[in-house]
Amino acid sequence: MHESDHVARHLLIQGLVQGVAFRASARTEADRLGLCGWVRNRSDGCVEAVVAGSAGAVEHFVRWAHRGPSHARVDSVAVNPTERPEQTGFRMLPTL
């Protein structure tokens, strides 16, 4: 895969997205898609994530984020280009 085939996106997910295993589900989905990045809860009630990998896999993750896990209620997802994270793998970060 060429470097030009890789993209990175910053997501800000709003709705009922905390206390419903959103972060753990996001990590499972990212691992399944072979993405790197991170996810964390924010003190304002949102979930924030950075995902990077192939354009197709990142797009699939973004579509997943609009649904989230079964107990979530996603109201909106803001998606913006961002820099590729330095680390490999996908991890959950502490709340910001």
Side-chain angles (χ1 to χ4, degrees):
M1 184 176 308
H2 296 92
E3 188 66 27
S4 62
D5 296 332
H6 278 72
V7 298
R9 297 291 181 262
H10 175 264
L11 288 76
L12 191 60
I13 305 144
Q14 296 181 315
L16 177 59
V17 293
Q18 292 188 12
V20 294
F22 202 103
R23 292 178 304 147
S25 297
R27 183 173 59 187
T28 298
E29 187 68 9
D31 288 345
R32 187 181 73 75
L33 294 167
L35 298 173
C36 65
W38 52 264
V39 64
R40 67 179 165 205
N41 285 339
R42 291 173 39 122
S43 58
D44 63 4
C46 297
V47 169
E48 180 179 28
V50 168
V51 294
S54 73
V58 169
E59 179 57 33
H60 191 287
F61 184 91
V62 169
R63 284 194 308 269
W64 173 87
H66 279 85
R67 294 184 316 273
S70 61
H71 290 92
R73 186 198 75 238
V74 177
D75 294 335
S76 67
V77 181
V79 181
N80 292 293
T82 192
E83 294 296 315
R84 184 175 173 85
E86 301 266 333
Q87 90 275 356
T88 59
F90 195 88
R91 58 193 170 127
M92 292 193 303
L93 299 180
T95 299
L96 174 68

